């Protein structure tokens, strides 16, 4: 059994979750925030049997595409505000960690 931790853009979350549930793959949603752009992300917790991992990964990939976005010239960082020219960044897509599950309990 595997636990997939999938961090995806909020804009893609509902579509990914609907597609997973349609294929009878259970998913838990956790709100999270990205580091660089400080934008909303969704972290999905997906527990699947080893033979379902590729299916779940394909569903996530099909429903969370990357796209370009222009960010404003005034951004905040942990050190305060800084100003610069507007820049194009890639958002969307996802980061997925695949963890081995030694045991789990449903209570």
């Amino acid at each position: 059994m595997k636990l997939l931790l999938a961090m995806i853009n909020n804009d893609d979350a509902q579509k990914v979750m609907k597609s997973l549930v349609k294929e009878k793959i259970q998913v838990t949603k956790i709100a999270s925030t990205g580091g660089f752009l400080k934008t909303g992300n969704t972290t999905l917790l997906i527990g699947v049997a080893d033979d379902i991992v590729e299916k779940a990964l394909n569903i996530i990939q099909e429903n969370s595409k990357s796209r370009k976005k222009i960010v404003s010239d005034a951004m905040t960082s942990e050190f305060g505000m800084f100003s610069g020219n507007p820049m194009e960044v890639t958002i969307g897509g996802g980061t997925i960690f695949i963890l081995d599950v030694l045991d789990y309990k449903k209570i």
Side-chain angles (χ1 to χ4, degrees):
M1 177 166 223
K2 304 288 187 204
L3 175 63
L4 308 181
L5 297 175
M7 280 70 66
I8 59 172
N9 189 278
N10 277 348
D11 296 339
D12 300 324
Q14 285 302 324
K15 195 158 73 163
V16 170
M17 291 176 60
K18 270 185 162 178
S19 297
L20 288 168
V21 170
K22 183 178 177 182
E23 294 297 322
K24 298 188 181 357
I25 298 173
Q26 295 181 352
V27 58
T28 299
K29 174 183 170 183
I30 300 174
S32 53
T33 303
F36 176 63
L37 295 176
K38 306 275 191 253
T39 57
N41 287 327
T42 298
T43 300
L44 301 178
L45 304 176
I46 308 161
V48 293
D50 290 347
D51 60 332
I52 305 295
V53 171
E54 285 303 316
K55 182 178 185 178
L57 291 174
N58 288 335
I59 291 170
I60 295 167
Q61 184 176 15
E62 289 169 9
N63 293 285
S64 57
K65 301 292 183 191
S66 11
R67 52 203 165 270
K68 302 288 184 184
K69 179 180 179 179
I70 303 293
V71 295
S72 70
D73 61 348
M75 293 179 51
T76 59
S77 74
E78 60 188 271
F79 306 109
M81 295 287 289
F82 65 92
S83 183
N85 296 324
M87 60 186 214
E88 185 177 73
V89 295
T90 302
I91 62 167
T95 301
I96 304 167
F97 295 92
I98 303 170
L99 308 169
D100 286 320
V101 176
L102 298 176
D103 193 16
Y104 81 98
K105 307 276 188 254
K106 269 193 169 184
I107 300 175

